[in-house]
Amino acid sequence: MADNFDTRSNRSWYSRNRQKIAPWIFLAPALIFFTVYVVAPIFQSLWISLYEWNGISEAKWVGLDNYVELFDDRRFYISLENNIIWLVLYMLAVPAGLFVALFLNQTIMGMRFYKSLFFFPFVISQVVVGLIFSWFYNPSFGAVGIIWEYFGAVPPSILGDERFVTYGIIFAGLWPQVAYCMILYLTGLNNVSQDQVEAGRLDGAKGWKMLRYVVLPQLWPATFLAIIVTVIGALRSFDMIAIMTQGGPYGTSNVLSYFMYETALSEYGFRMGYGSAIAVMLFVIMLFFISYFLWVMYKDEKGER
Amino acid sequence: MIKRSIIALITSAAFVSTAFAGTLVINFDDPNPAPKAGFEAAVAAFEAANPDINVTVNINDREAHKTAIRNFLSANAPDITSWYPGNRMGPFVDAGQFEDISDLWASDENLSSNFEAIKPTMTRDGKQWGVPYTYYQWGVYYRADVYADNGLTEPATWDELLANCDTLKANGITPFTIGTKYLWTAAGVFDYLNLRTNGYDVHNALTAGEIKYTDDRIKATFANWETMLERCSFIDNHATMSWQEAIPPFASGDAAMYVMGNFAVAAFKDAGLTDDQIGYFPFPEITPGMPRAEEAPADAFFIPSGAKNKEDARKFLSFIARPEIQAAWNKTIGQLPPNSKSAINTDDKFIVEGFATVSTAAGLAQFYDRDAPAEMAKGGMEGFQEFMIKPERLEDILKRLDKIQDRVYK
């Protein structure tokens, strides 16, 4: 009896608080890595953006000079404008993905095969997509050149002309992005309740009305996810630009992420402070979207929608 | 027992790698067959001459080397590293990461007397920082057979070049090919036009930030470039092509000339051209009587200030400055030895012509992106590319370059 009592009072602090501690132990690895590799670098970038630093010499404190320069830099505005074009046009991936998903969501022989064909561009590397499209656009030996010449027209140099280049890259980027959205919608369509579709049918809904009022509301989670990944994909569009144009011709297809890389890390760059200032601007833009998404998710979870 | 012997093995291995004072670590930046063979032969010769020194070699890809050097110089410095002279060595010299080897340049029998032409580009703050092992000429490479078919001869003056272009265009041939996707090829054309229009001193003053881009002399260079764009067209869509992708029109005879460095000859031959089909001439004279300066970028070796074995590193640098070593090395890689006493490969007609061109030049430029600071070079080269596509924007481009210049050189 006394023995028992003794052990209980001697139970360690750990065993007494096990219930409270356990979640933190499980969270610890993720928290530590998230802090070291995500949170800390954000503040580090903020800090470096106040310096002029080439990565090897002494860093020089310049205060807000990098930002003053950035707001007077034509390349910054070109990149920002291109980022906006990216954001707007990249959104086409969402309805296009929905359309393809609806089209593929039927039971025909060999449907799995067709689905995998549509999914294919998402599986291959963005670098490969970029390469394929730069050949495709090549006015002398690419498909574009051959088609234009067949009709007796002079083929445009899509990647060499400042008017077309950004649209050309976005179009290439849409190819895998549509596939991604399609997959999200295909899984979403699996969960569409057949009862509600039946009920809708009995009430005389079909075609557009069925889609708009019965199917789409049930696809909201998939749509939300598709919008998030597309916004983020548009803002971090980097590989395509690096492969297809390197921001050229003369910087007209630059976006903030590539501009940042070019300034901070490329052969003619190593202006760490200025590059960090660009990174901070990109972060602010992303933060705007991320906060919105978090807010929507929060409201969803509270069931206020 | 096994555990103990493993520990013994590890400690002895660690011991071996630090034990001999005569270990020399060299980082080199070109894994391509010919440059690698040339470098390794020089290292083998050095080891044969210095049996007590054990050389360890790390060969990295050129682009990877450009990034890695920023880490290894401070974190884990080799005893010798390859790098580039001119403004490219500037950041490392200024940060105190390269060893001052002016003493070697003063005392070494080769460096003190046979490197006069290239010495200025190895000099910063009045001191020398590296030893060049190779350099190569730039100029105009042309299709000798296409020239012959059209009854043309090598032009010596600007007017002759423009006249040749007129004939070529009349016969449906694009005079010049170029690929400006990676920008630097356009800088080669600009350098030559500026060197021929204004001469070496003005060109140097421009890349040193002492002359504005809106200066009338620089505008004259661009006026000549505009003439060249009109009368000697460059191939279409050059902004989407790398320099290699611009070779097929040259190989097929659709384009007749290419402003390039000598390294391109190997690529021309890979594209199916023979020695007889390719010719070389120095970029023609524009301003009559202007002393002829040439583009001749050099590659060099440097001692990091963090090197452990600086004594043997100096021995190696002195060794590779020898005429016979430079001769053998450059024969392998098909380039020119910077040591003026060194023999050149007389079987290679491009080397013979190139040597005649650079050895008689009034000045040697290192190339726009090595003569100008990195940020200026990037902005400048983008401006050149834009000008080649939209010449009507010249005023705007030059003002923009002035703005970059104001900031970079402040």
Side-chain angles (χ1 to χ4, degrees), chain A:
Chain A
M1 193 70 185
D3 254 22
N4 254 343
F5 184 78
D6 261 341
T7 16
R8 196 171 291 168
S9 67
N10 279 345
R11 276 174 69 194
S12 64
W13 178 84
Y14 169 71
S15 23
R16 272 181 280 125
N17 294 287
R18 201 177 264 170
Q19 288 286 330
K20 282 181 210 153
I21 295 170
W24 291 103
I25 292 177
F26 284 112
L27 276 174
L31 283 178
I32 290 168
F33 282 99
F34 190 72
T35 314
V36 172
Y37 291 108
V38 179
V39 180
I42 290 173
F43 287 99
Q44 206 177 6
S45 295
L46 270 168
W47 187 240
I48 295 176
S49 75
L50 304 175
Y51 285 91
E52 179 76 55
W53 185 42
N54 70 1
I56 48 176
S57 293
E58 223 29 30
K60 193 173 118 225
W61 173 267
V62 292
L64 291 175
D65 277 11
N66 282 326
Y67 293 93
V68 173
E69 187 189 330
L70 190 64
F71 288 117
D72 188 35
D73 192 336
R74 164 178 175 280
R75 293 174 301 168
F76 173 66
Y77 291 103
I78 292 176
S79 308
L80 195 62
E81 188 189 324
N82 282 335
N83 259 130
I84 293 167
I85 300 176
W86 267 90
L87 266 174
V88 172
L89 291 185
Y90 221 46
M91 277 302 147
L92 289 176
V94 178
L98 174 65
F99 177 78
V100 177
L102 289 172
F103 177 69
L104 289 178
N105 193 37
Q106 20 188 330
T107 36
I108 302 177
M109 244 259 293
M111 207 48 183
R112 274 163 191 259
F113 176 69
Y114 299 124
K115 279 182 188 171
S116 62
L117 278 189
F118 275 91
F119 190 55
F120 179 67
F122 182 68
V123 179
I124 55 180
S125 153
Q126 295 251 318
V127 175
V128 177
V129 174
L131 265 182
I132 293 176
F133 269 84
S134 27
W135 293 330
F136 176 72
Y137 288 146
N138 188 303
S140 31
F141 62 76
V144 165
I146 294 166
I147 294 167
W148 257 256
E149 264 157 26
Y150 178 79
F151 292 105
V154 180
S157 170
I158 292 175
L159 296 181
D161 190 315
E162 58 179 46
R163 288 169 299 169
F164 310 135
V165 63
T166 296
Y167 302 100
I169 305 172
I170 295 173
F171 186 71
L174 276 175
W175 192 42
Q177 193 65 27
V178 166
Y180 194 5
C181 294
M182 175 203 82
I183 282 293
L184 292 174
Y185 276 120
L186 275 178
T187 39
L189 282 170
N190 277 337
N191 296 331
V192 167
S193 135
Q194 288 306 313
D195 306 352
Q196 293 186 28
V197 175
E198 279 302 313
R201 200 165 280 153
L202 287 177
D203 287 341
K206 56 185 170 193
W208 167 249
K209 278 197 164 160
M210 174 71 96
L211 180 66
R212 170 73 185 78
Y213 295 103
V214 181
V215 179
L216 267 189
Q218 298 190 56
L219 284 177
W220 166 247
T223 309
F224 185 60
L225 202 57
I227 292 175
I228 291 184
V229 295
T230 308
V231 165
I232 293 174
L235 284 173
R236 36 172 256 187
S237 47
F238 173 87
D239 0 25
M240 291 283 187
I241 290 157
I243 288 298
M244 295 174 77
T245 63
Q246 298 219 323
Y250 42 88
T252 49
S253 65
N254 235 335
V255 294
L256 288 176
S257 56
Y258 192 77
F259 181 36
M260 168 186 80
Y261 161 78
E262 203 177 65
T263 311
L265 297 166
S266 79
E267 187 174 352
Y268 300 111
F270 292 113
R271 295 186 65 201
M272 298 297 178
Y274 197 51
S276 298
I278 303 168
V280 169
M281 294 313 296
L282 189 59
F283 177 68
V284 168
I285 297 170
M286 287 217 179
L287 201 61
F288 171 77
F289 285 102
I290 292 168
S291 332
Y292 172 74
F293 291 139
L294 287 178
W295 180 69
V296 170
M297 275 201 267
Y298 177 72
K299 287 190 84 176
D300 265 4
E301 278 189 10
K302 283 181 76 180
E304 283 178 18
R305 285 189 63 93

Side-chain angles (χ1 to χ4, degrees), chain B residues 71-410:
Chain B
N71 295 326
F72 69 61
L73 280 186
S74 43
N76 182 21
D79 299 310
I80 292 176
T81 180
S82 54
W83 192 242
Y84 322 106
N87 251 302
R88 279 301 179 87
M89 68 182 186
F92 301 111
V93 170
D94 297 345
Q97 294 194 322
F98 279 158
E99 175 94 349
D100 172 11
I101 55 165
S102 308
D103 56 324
L104 192 67
W105 276 81
S107 62
D108 187 81
E109 52 173 333
N110 287 300
L111 289 172
S112 59
S113 52
N114 304 337
F115 284 78
E116 287 309 314
I118 208 127
K119 192 171 177 180
T121 67
M122 302 306 310
T123 304
R124 191 176 173 95
D125 304 334
K127 298 167 188 155
Q128 287 76 46
W129 303 91
V131 173
Y133 64 95
T134 187
Y135 71 137
Y136 55 91
Q137 80 272 17
W138 272 66
V140 182
Y141 290 83
Y142 69 102
R143 283 291 300 272
D145 49 343
V146 174
Y147 254 56
D149 290 346
N150 291 279
L152 300 175
T153 52
E154 288 185 6
T157 64
W158 185 234
D159 289 332
E160 286 172 25
L161 176 69
L162 295 177
N164 281 357
C165 289
D166 292 342
T167 311
L168 287 167
K169 279 176 89 170
N171 295 338
I173 297 163
T174 310
F176 279 95
T177 187
I178 192 170
T180 61
K181 181 175 177 185
Y182 297 97
L183 304 173
W184 54 268
T185 45
V189 178
F190 170 79
D191 278 357
Y192 267 119
L193 286 165
N194 200 33
L195 286 170
R196 293 290 181 270
T197 309
N198 296 312
Y200 187 60
D201 294 334
V202 172
H203 186 67
N204 266 346
L206 179 76
T207 52
E210 290 152 13
I211 293 182
K212 298 231 142 290
Y213 282 81
T214 44
D215 190 284
D216 281 341
R217 289 168 289 186
I218 308 303
K219 281 186 179 167
T221 300
F222 278 97
N224 284 330
W225 200 347
E226 196 163 351
T227 312
M228 189 177 177
L229 290 174
E230 272 165 32
R231 285 178 67 186
C232 297
S233 328
F234 289 84
I235 51 163
D236 295 332
N237 310 318
H238 55 75
T240 62
M241 286 185 270
S242 67
W243 73 267
Q244 293 98 330
E245 286 167 333
I247 291 177
F250 185 73
S252 67
D254 292 334
M257 291 176 274
Y258 204 166
V259 178
M260 252 298 150
N262 196 54
F263 56 85
V265 170
F268 296 155
K269 288 181 182 165
D270 287 343
L273 295 173
T274 62
D275 256 353
D276 298 335
Q277 289 175 295
I278 315 167
Y280 166 85
F281 60 83
F283 200 93
E285 176 175 74
I286 296 179
T287 305
M290 180 66 73
R292 184 175 52 80
E294 294 292 334
E295 296 255 66
D299 290 343
F301 281 104
F302 297 81
I303 305 178
S305 22
K308 292 173 200 74
N309 191 356
K310 291 179 183 171
E311 194 188 324
D312 288 337
R314 279 187 158 75
K315 258 188 212 166
F316 183 80
L317 292 190
S318 160
F319 184 79
I320 60 164
R322 290 187 193 173
E324 72 278 8
I325 299 298
Q326 296 224 326
W329 195 333
N330 283 288
K331 186 173 181 182
T332 310
I333 60 182
Q335 295 188 0
L336 295 167
N339 186 328
S340 57
K341 293 275 165 32
S342 190
I344 57 162
N345 178 13
T346 46
D347 297 336
D348 185 334
K349 68 169 184 174
F350 298 104
I351 290 299
V352 174
E353 283 187 82
F355 183 72
T357 306
V358 293
S359 61
T360 56
L364 297 181
Q366 278 294 300
F367 206 77
Y368 185 76
D369 72 352
R370 292 189 191 179
D371 288 329
E375 201 194 344
M376 185 70 241
K378 172 78 179 168
M381 295 192 303
E382 278 188 357
F384 301 154
Q385 191 196 36
E386 183 166 0
F387 172 74
M388 288 183 74
I389 297 168
K390 306 268 180 194
E392 69 275 9
R393 292 189 191 160
L394 179 62
E395 278 295 317
D396 196 35
I397 295 170
L398 293 181
K399 278 191 197 129
R400 227 183 290 146
L401 295 188
D402 273 355
K403 196 173 144 192
I404 299 175
Q405 198 188 40
D406 282 344
R407 195 182 60 243
V408 172
Y409 297 88
K410 72 180 173 206

